[in-house]
C-alpha cells in the first residue's frame, strides 16, 4: 500500500462525525467510526461502521469489462454497503491521488473515472493528498480550499433567500458542505448514504449559480452551446433533449478550470435528475497558468466530479481529449414507440400538447380510453388516459372525473393537465 492509502485508512479511523453539525442543528452524539481489518474472499480488507451504516472495504480492486467498465483501472478501495435496506446503494470506488504521480496522466484519470460511472454499477470518489493529510495528522487545522467553484457566481434570487431555496430543493442538511473537502464529503456520505439527497444538492448548486438573464437572452445560450459542443461534441449535448425555458452559466473557476452548466426550468420545478447538464473542463496550457494553480484546479475538478456524478448528465474532460462514444449519455428511448402508438387514440388536444414532455420524463405508457367499472360490472366512467398501477386518470368530463375520485383514484381534467403537471408527475414516477 502507498503512504497515501495508509493515511486514508488512518484518517477514517480518526474522523469524528456529528449529525447536524453542518447546519448548526447538532442533534446527536459524536459518531466514532469503528474500523477493523478483515479477510474477505482471501484478501485483506476492512469492515467499517459509521453511525448505523456498515461498509466492507476491499483494497486494490481490478475493474474492467467484466464490471461493464470500458477502460480498466485498479481502485485503491471499493466500499460495499452492508445491512438491510441497501439495495438502492451502489458500491463506491475510491481513488486516493497524489499529484506527483498523477500530474502526467490527468487525461487517463478522467477517462477511467468516467468509464466507472458510465457502467452504472458504482459511484466514484477521488481524494487527493491535500484532502486526506489534514485529517490524518493530529492537531492540524483544516486549511480552506484554495479554489472553490461552488461559492462563485451566486445569482440574486439565491442571495435574497438562501434558506428558502435550500428548502425548495430539500437539501438543507448538506448546507455547509460546499466549503469542505472531498474527504469530508465522503465521510458524510458513508455515515448517511442518501443518493437522492446528493442529487438534489447537485441540482441546487447549479440552480443558485444560474445566469438568470440567460433565460431570455438567446445570445448567451448560443455561446454556451457553441463552447460546450467544442469540448464534448454535438451528439452528447443533443442527447440532453430539453425545451425552453432554460438557463446557462459559464464559470471561470481558475485559469485552468471552467464549469459549464445549463438547466431546464420545467424539470427543475419537478426536481428531475435530468434537469441540469454539467461539463467540467480542465486545461493544462491555459493563459496565466502555473504548476501550483493547475494542481489546485485538478483537485477542485475532482471534487466537482464527486458531486456532479449524482446527476444524469455530467461530463469531465481534460485538455482537448476527445470524448469517447462510450461515455455519451443516451436519453431513454425504451417506450418511444409505445407512446407513438397511442397518439392516434388520444382525442383531447390539451393532452396531445403535453405528450412530448411525458415521453422524456421516465413516465410509464398509459392506457387510452380506459373504462372504469362500477360494482355491478358496468361502465362507471371513461378516462382519456389512465395509469392503472398508480391509479391516475385524465378525464374529459366532470362526471367521469368524480366517478374516478369516488373509487379512490387520483383524477384530473384534461383541460387542467398542463397546469397541474408538476403535481401529477411525481405520482406517475413512483
Amino acid at each position: 500500500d502507498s503512504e497515501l492509502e495508509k493515511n486514508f485508512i488512518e484518517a477514517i479511523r480518526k474522523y469524528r462525525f456529528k449529525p447536524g453539525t453542518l447546519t448548526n442543528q447538532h442533534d446527536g452524539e459524536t459518531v466514532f467510526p469503528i474500523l477493523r481489518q478483515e479477510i474477505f474472499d482471501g484478501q485483506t480488507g476492512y469492515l467499517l461502521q459509521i453511525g448505523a451504516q456498515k461498509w466492507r472495504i476491499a483494497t486494490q480492486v481490478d475493474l474492467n469489462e467484466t464490471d461493464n467498465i470500458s477502460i480498466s483501472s485498479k481502485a485503491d478501495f471499493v466500499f460495499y454497503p452492508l445491512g438491510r435496506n441497501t439495495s438502492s446503494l451502489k458500491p463506491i470506488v475510491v481513488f486516493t491521488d497524489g499529484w506527483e504521480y498523477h500530474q502526467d496522466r490527468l487525461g487517463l484519470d478522467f477517462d477511467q473515472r468516467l468509464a466507472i460511472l458510465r457502467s452504472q454499477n458504482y459511484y466514484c470518489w477521488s481524494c487527493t493528498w491535500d484532502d486526506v493529510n489534514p485529517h490524518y495528522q493530529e492537531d492540524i487545522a483544516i486549511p480552506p480550499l484554495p479554489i472553490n467553484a461552488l461559492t462563485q457566481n451566486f445569482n440574486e434570487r439565491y442571495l435574497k433567500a438562501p434558506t428558502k431555496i435550500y428548502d425548495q430543493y430539500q437539501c438543507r442538511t448538506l448546507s455547509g458542505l460546499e466549503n469542505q473537502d472531498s474527504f469530508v464529503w465522503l465521510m458524510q456520505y458513508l455515515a448517511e448514504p442518501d443518493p437522492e439527497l446528493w442529487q438534489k444538492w447537485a441540482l441546487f448548486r447549479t440552480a443558485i449559480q444560474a445566469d438568470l438573464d440567460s433565460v431570455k437572452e438567446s445570445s448567451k445560450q448560443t455561446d454556451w452551446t457553441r463552447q460546450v459542443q467544442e469540448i464534448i461534441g454535438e451528439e452528447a449535448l443533443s442527447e440532453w433533449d430539453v425545451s425552453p425555458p432554460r438557463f446557462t452559466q459559464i464559470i471561470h473557476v481558475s485559469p485552468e478550470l471552467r464549469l459549464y452548466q445549463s438547466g431546464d426550468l420545467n424539470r427543475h420545478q419537478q426536481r428531475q435528475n435530468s434537469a441540469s447538464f454539467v461539463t467540467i473542463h480542465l486545461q493544462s496550457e491555459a493563459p496565466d497558468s502555473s504548476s501550483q494553480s493547475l494542481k489546485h484546479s485538478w483537485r477542485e475538478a475532482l471534487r466537482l466530479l464527486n458531486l456532479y456524478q449524482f446527476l444524469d448528465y455530467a461530463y469531465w474532460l481534460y485538455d482537448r481529449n476527445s470524448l469517447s462514444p462510450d461515455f455519451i449519455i443516451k436519453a431513454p428511448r425504451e417506450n418511444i414507440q409505445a407512446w407513438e402508438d397511442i397518439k392516434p387514440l388520444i382525442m383531447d388536444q390539451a393532452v396531445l400538447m403535453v405528450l412530448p414532455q411525458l415521453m422524456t420524463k421516465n413516465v410509464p405508457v398509459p392506457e387510452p380510453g380506459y373504462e372504469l367499472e362500477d360494482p355491478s360490472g358496468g361502465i362507471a366512467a371513461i378516462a382519456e388516459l389512465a395509469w392503472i398501477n398508480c391509479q391516475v386518470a385524465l378525464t374529459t368530463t366532470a362526471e367521469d372525473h368524480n366517478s374516478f375520485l369516488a373509487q379512490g383514484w387520483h383524477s384530473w381534467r384534461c383541460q387542467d393537465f398542463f397546469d397541474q403537471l408538476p403535481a401529477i408527475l411525481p405520482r406517475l414516477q413512483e
Side-chain angles (χ1 to χ4, degrees):
D1 293 349
S2 72
E3 181 182 0
L4 179 54
E5 291 165 17
K6 293 177 181 177
N7 291 353
F8 174 78
I9 291 295
E10 193 61 25
I12 293 177
R13 196 186 309 275
K14 294 178 178 179
Y15 191 77
R16 300 294 177 261
F17 175 75
K18 295 182 180 180
T21 301
L22 291 171
T23 55
N24 296 318
Q25 296 176 351
H26 179 47
D27 56 4
E29 297 297 323
T30 299
V31 175
F32 295 82
I34 301 173
L35 183 69
R36 66 174 184 264
Q37 202 167 53
E38 296 277 350
I39 301 296
F40 299 103
D41 300 326
Q43 300 292 323
T44 300
Y46 299 89
L47 183 65
L48 169 66
Q49 179 171 350
I50 178 167
Q53 182 60 50
K54 293 182 179 180
W55 301 86
R56 176 170 68 86
I57 307 175
T59 62
Q60 298 300 305
V61 179
D62 289 316
L63 301 171
N64 48 49
E65 291 184 353
T66 61
D67 306 290
N68 196 33
I69 296 172
S70 60
I71 301 179
S72 299
S73 59
K74 183 184 287 289
D76 297 320
F77 305 95
V78 178
F79 288 67
Y80 296 94
L82 300 175
R84 299 178 179 177
N85 302 319
T86 59
S87 59
S88 63
L89 299 179
K90 297 178 184 179
I92 308 168
V93 173
V94 175
F95 291 99
T96 52
D97 295 341
W99 175 249
E100 296 304 319
Y101 173 71
H102 287 269
Q103 61 180 314
D104 295 325
R105 46 164 291 162
L106 300 185
L108 177 59
D109 282 349
F110 275 39
D111 285 349
Q112 286 177 327
R113 283 152 178 75
L114 267 181
I116 291 168
L117 293 175
R118 295 301 187 257
S119 75
Q120 301 291 317
N121 293 326
Y122 302 91
Y123 290 122
C124 183
W125 223 281
S126 300
C127 291
T128 71
W129 176 277
D130 291 328
D131 295 319
V132 174
N133 199 45
H135 301 280
Y136 154 70
Q137 297 187 1
E138 299 283 358
D139 303 322
I140 290 185
I142 308 299
L145 297 168
I147 296 175
N148 191 338
L150 300 183
T151 56
Q152 301 181 27
N153 295 74
F154 290 147
N155 55 46
E156 185 177 355
R157 178 172 173 265
Y158 171 71
L159 293 173
K160 285 183 176 180
T163 302
K164 177 182 178 181
I165 308 302
Y166 257 114
D167 289 342
Q168 287 176 350
Y169 280 84
Q170 300 176 316
C171 61
R172 186 142 55 113
T173 54
L174 299 184
S175 173
L177 271 187
E178 65 271 12
N179 294 311
Q180 302 297 326
D181 59 48
S182 291
F183 180 80
V184 173
W185 284 10
L186 176 61
M187 297 306 295
Q188 175 81 20
Y189 184 86
L190 292 175
E192 298 177 343
D194 186 345
E196 290 188 7
L197 176 63
W198 284 73
Q199 291 168 4
K200 292 174 183 177
W201 195 53
L203 285 176
F204 164 81
R205 302 311 314 185
T206 64
I208 66 176
Q209 292 179 312
D211 180 352
L212 301 180
D213 293 335
S214 68
V215 177
K216 296 182 179 179
E217 295 184 21
S218 59
S219 61
K220 288 189 174 183
Q221 295 190 22
T222 300
D223 183 54
W224 183 92
T225 299
R226 177 186 59 80
Q227 292 193 45
V228 171
Q229 286 180 341
E230 288 178 356
I231 299 169
I232 64 173
E234 294 184 11
E235 182 182 357
L237 187 55
S238 66
E239 286 291 338
W240 185 54
D241 186 19
V242 295
S243 304
R246 72 181 179 108
F247 65 78
T248 60
Q249 178 62 282
I250 303 173
I251 301 177
H252 296 251
V253 180
S254 70
E256 302 84 5
L257 181 60
R258 290 189 182 183
L259 179 60
Y260 298 85
Q261 300 175 145
S262 184
D264 180 316
L265 293 183
N266 290 325
R267 294 186 191 180
H268 263 268
Q269 288 180 351
Q270 299 149 16
R271 309 296 180 255
Q272 291 188 31
N273 203 35
S274 63
S276 283
F277 187 104
V278 174
T279 298
I280 302 162
H281 190 208
L282 182 67
Q283 304 175 81
S284 63
E285 298 182 357
D288 302 321
S289 178
S290 67
S291 176
Q292 188 70 1
S293 179
L294 179 59
K295 176 184 176 182
H296 292 326
S297 298
W298 161 74
R299 178 188 178 192
E300 180 63 2
L302 292 177
R303 192 175 77 118
L304 293 173
L305 183 155
N306 293 337
L307 171 59
Y308 290 122
Q309 67 176 309
F310 290 96
L311 296 180
D312 285 348
Y313 292 90
Y315 292 91
W316 300 261
L317 268 87
Y318 176 67
D319 275 349
R320 290 293 176 180
N321 287 13
S322 59
L323 183 69
S324 167
D326 294 337
F327 296 160
I328 295 176
I329 304 158
K330 302 291 186 180
R333 292 186 173 86
E334 302 87 85
N335 294 329
I336 295 298
Q337 187 56 52
W339 281 101
E340 294 292 340
D341 290 342
I342 70 170
K343 275 185 180 181
L345 305 176
I346 299 173
M347 301 294 107
D348 192 278
Q349 290 301 310
V351 175
L352 285 171
M353 288 178 61
V354 182
L355 212 61
Q357 293 190 51
L358 294 180
M359 294 169 66
T360 61
K361 295 185 186 300
N362 196 31
V363 170
V365 179
E367 181 173 333
Y370 176 75
E371 296 178 347
L372 180 70
E373 292 186 356
D374 61 24
S376 64
I379 299 175
I382 298 176
E384 182 78 353
L385 293 178
W387 287 265
I388 300 172
N389 289 341
C390 49
Q391 291 201 308
V392 171
L394 293 176
T395 60
T396 57
T397 70
E399 292 77 13
D400 287 339
H401 169 71
N402 291 331
S403 295
F404 275 93
L405 289 178
Q407 293 199 30
W409 283 60
H410 306 285
S411 179
W412 285 270
R413 297 286 302 280
C414 292
Q415 64 195 42
D416 301 323
F417 190 25
F418 180 82
D419 291 336
Q420 295 298 319
L421 190 59
I424 299 173
L425 272 175
R427 298 191 181 278
L428 300 182
Q429 295 169 333
E430 289 178 351

